């Protein structure tokens, strides 16, 4: 499928230019995080005079606002929202004030690699058909943190999946910690949206754009510290998947969604997993009387091989004998494969048939 997709990566005439960008952050109760976060954005390996940071404060949170203003950098703009309305509503208001061609959407918690922004901008400029490019979330897992190690293994699979989706058609959803968005491709999303980092790029895909993944653009984070914390995150994600279908039914319409196959397999099939497990349970219960003790058919006592598995009329085989070939009509019953001391194979038993 990757080979069949038309190549749309021809560089534009102004690909060498680095456009002005706006880094959009929505924060709430993040006074201890926002200073280092904004500094990591402004210190990126990107022309300093072409970066602007817009910080939207979701609700009455003067501590976070003052922490950002304490940097005293004219490139930082703090947008106060007295009422807590949620991230999606703040994104709509903040992006509406952006005039930059490319937006970098990122969360308050993660530290950015110095080259991350430059890589995302390069990817968008290289392919005019791209509306959004996801960065990579890399977990800094402490030694002995088994919860974090398990989460890191999950993310390695998730990143492989997103990268492959981007090569075939479009990446389904961005990494909320870091992604780039073409301003012209943005459409406001419902204020109650849970998974804004999925709906925003998928609306662009429905409009004819593509979405991709750039593993060079890295945001660093610490994994969940407990199973309960990770459980809450998973429940929120699953609820958001159900909501996506409710808010944008076109996502499950193959006539309207160019990335329908990826969306269905990545998002919808996960919602069907509990039903699939229930069907497996009922099928196993229904088949149990038909095939009783199936495990016993392949778990006879350890003497079965030596007792003559080739059927009646054949002498028993010595322990360690290797049977290289059985005739398709030879009856074989109750065979166990067991570890036995290996002995030299007689030359006369090179091929046994009936």
């Amino acid at each position: 499928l990757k080979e069949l997709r038309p190549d749309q990566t021809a560089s534009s005439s102004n690909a060498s230019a680095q456009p002005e960008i706006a880094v959009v952050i929505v924060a709430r109760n993040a006074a201890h995080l926002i200073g280092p976060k904004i500094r990591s954005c402004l210190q990126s390996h990107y022309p300093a005079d072409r970066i602007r940071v817009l910080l939207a404060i979701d609700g009455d949170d003067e501590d976070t606002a003052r922490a950002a203003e304490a940097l005293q950098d004219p490139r930082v703009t703090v947008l106060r929202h007295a009422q807590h309305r949620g991230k999606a509503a703040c994104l709509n208001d903040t992006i509406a004030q952006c005039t930059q061609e490319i937006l970098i959407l990122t969360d308050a918690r993660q530290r950015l690699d110095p080259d991350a922004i430059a890589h995302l901008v390069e990817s968008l400029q290289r392919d005019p058909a791209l509306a959004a490019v996801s960065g990579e979330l890399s977990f800094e897992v402490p030694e002995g943190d088994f919860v974090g190690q398990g989460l890191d293994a999950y993310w390695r699979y998730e990143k492989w999946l997103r990268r492959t989706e981007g090569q075939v058609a479009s990446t389904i959803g961005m990494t909320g910690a870091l992604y780039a968005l073409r301003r012209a491709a943005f459409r406001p999303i419902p204020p109650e949206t849970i998974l804004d980092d999925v709906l925003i790029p998928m609306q662009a895909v429905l409009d004819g754009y593509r979405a991709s993944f750039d593993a060079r653009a890295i945001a660093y984070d610490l994994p969940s510290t407990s199973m309960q914390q990770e459980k809450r995150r998973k429940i929120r994600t699953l609820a958001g998947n159900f909501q996506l279908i409710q808010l944008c039914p076109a996502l499950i319409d193959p006539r309207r969604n160019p990335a329908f196959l990826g969306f269905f397999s990545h998002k919808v099939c996960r919602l069907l997993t509990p039903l699939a497990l229930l069907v497996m349970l009922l099928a196993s219960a229904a088949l149990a009387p038909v095939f009783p003790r199936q495990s016993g058919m392949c778990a006879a006592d350890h003497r079965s091989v030596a007792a003559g598995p080739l059927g009646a009329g054949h002498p028993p085989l010595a322990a360690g004998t290797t049977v290289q070939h059985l005739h398709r009509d030879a009856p074989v019953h109750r065979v166990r494969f067991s570890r036995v001391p290996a002995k030299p194979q007689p030359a006369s038993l090179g091929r046994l048939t009936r």
Side-chain angles (χ1 to χ4, degrees):
L1 292 176
K2 175 186 174 183
E3 297 300 326
L4 291 175
R5 183 175 63 81
D7 185 8
Q8 298 175 316
T9 59
S11 299
S12 60
S13 59
N14 64 340
S16 59
Q18 292 179 297
E20 291 188 3
I21 63 171
V23 180
V24 178
I25 305 172
V26 177
R28 175 176 169 81
N29 298 328
H32 62 297
L33 298 171
I34 204 62
K37 174 65 179 192
I38 293 178
R39 279 193 292 269
S40 77
C41 295
L42 296 178
Q43 294 171 1
S44 296
H45 296 165
Y46 199 83
D49 61 336
R50 300 192 178 189
I51 298 181
R52 180 188 178 194
V53 176
L54 285 85
L55 172 64
I57 306 297
D58 184 21
D60 186 10
D61 183 9
E62 278 300 310
D63 290 341
T64 302
R66 284 194 292 266
E69 292 170 342
L71 298 174
Q72 297 183 344
D73 194 309
R75 295 172 293 174
V76 179
T77 301
V78 178
L79 304 175
R80 289 175 168 84
H81 301 281
Q83 183 181 1
H84 172 48
R85 298 178 300 154
K87 183 180 178 181
C90 290
L91 284 175
N92 288 337
D93 292 347
T94 305
I95 294 177
Q97 300 187 35
C98 295
T99 59
Q100 291 75 10
E101 176 186 349
I102 294 178
L103 311 177
I104 304 295
L105 283 73
T106 181
D107 290 337
R109 190 176 66 249
Q110 294 84 10
R111 172 175 59 88
L112 301 187
D113 182 86
D115 293 317
I117 290 178
H119 286 316
L120 292 176
V121 173
E122 178 191 348
S123 293
L124 280 181
Q125 287 192 296
R126 190 169 58 244
D127 188 349
L130 285 177
V133 179
S134 175
E136 175 173 339
L137 182 60
S138 179
F139 287 107
E140 300 174 308
V141 182
E143 188 70 25
D145 183 358
F146 298 107
V147 175
Q149 291 171 1
L151 183 59
D152 184 56
Y154 163 77
W155 268 106
R156 286 198 300 271
Y157 165 73
E158 184 74 14
K159 287 182 289 190
W160 172 84
L161 188 61
R162 293 182 182 186
R163 181 169 57 252
T164 305
E165 289 171 342
Q167 293 171 344
V168 173
S170 284
T171 298
I172 308 302
M174 303 285 100
T175 298
L178 175 65
Y179 69 99
L181 177 70
R182 204 178 295 277
R183 175 64 181 86
F186 173 76
R187 282 197 284 129
I189 57 177
E192 68 272 19
T193 302
I194 298 175
L195 300 182
D196 54 273
D197 51 3
V198 177
L199 186 56
I200 289 176
M202 288 308 298
Q203 285 187 155
V205 170
L206 293 175
D207 291 337
Y209 287 95
R210 288 181 50 249
S212 189
F213 177 86
D214 192 334
R216 302 172 301 168
I218 303 175
Y220 299 97
D221 198 3
L222 295 175
S224 301
T225 57
S226 68
M227 293 299 294
Q228 280 299 115
Q229 184 179 5
E230 184 60 19
K231 177 183 177 182
R232 288 193 296 269
R233 195 187 71 83
K234 292 295 186 185
I235 291 176
R236 176 182 177 276
T237 300
L238 288 174
N241 287 339
F242 280 108
Q243 187 196 53
L244 284 173
I245 299 173
Q246 175 194 2
L247 296 177
C248 190
L251 293 174
I252 56 174
D253 186 348
R255 298 168 299 177
R256 300 178 59 187
N257 185 0
F260 167 79
L261 182 60
F263 182 83
F264 185 85
S265 61
H266 193 156
K267 296 297 182 181
V268 179
C269 285
R270 291 187 180 185
L271 302 179
L272 299 177
T273 299
L275 179 61
L277 292 174
L278 178 60
V279 171
M280 289 175 60
L281 176 63
L282 295 178
S284 299
L287 292 173
V290 181
F291 301 99
R293 300 182 63 83
Q294 277 297 295
S295 60
M297 298 296 292
C298 295
D301 63 85
H302 67 280
R303 294 170 298 181
S304 58
V305 172
L310 300 183
H314 289 271
L317 299 179
T321 298
T322 301
V323 179
Q324 298 185 1
H325 174 79
L326 292 177
H327 193 276
R328 63 181 182 180
D329 295 328
V332 179
H333 306 286
R334 295 172 62 86
V335 177
R336 167 190 283 271
F337 297 95
S338 56
R339 294 185 179 182
V340 294
K343 294 183 179 180
Q345 180 179 341
S348 59
L349 291 179
R351 185 177 183 89
L352 296 178
T353 62
R354 183 182 178 185

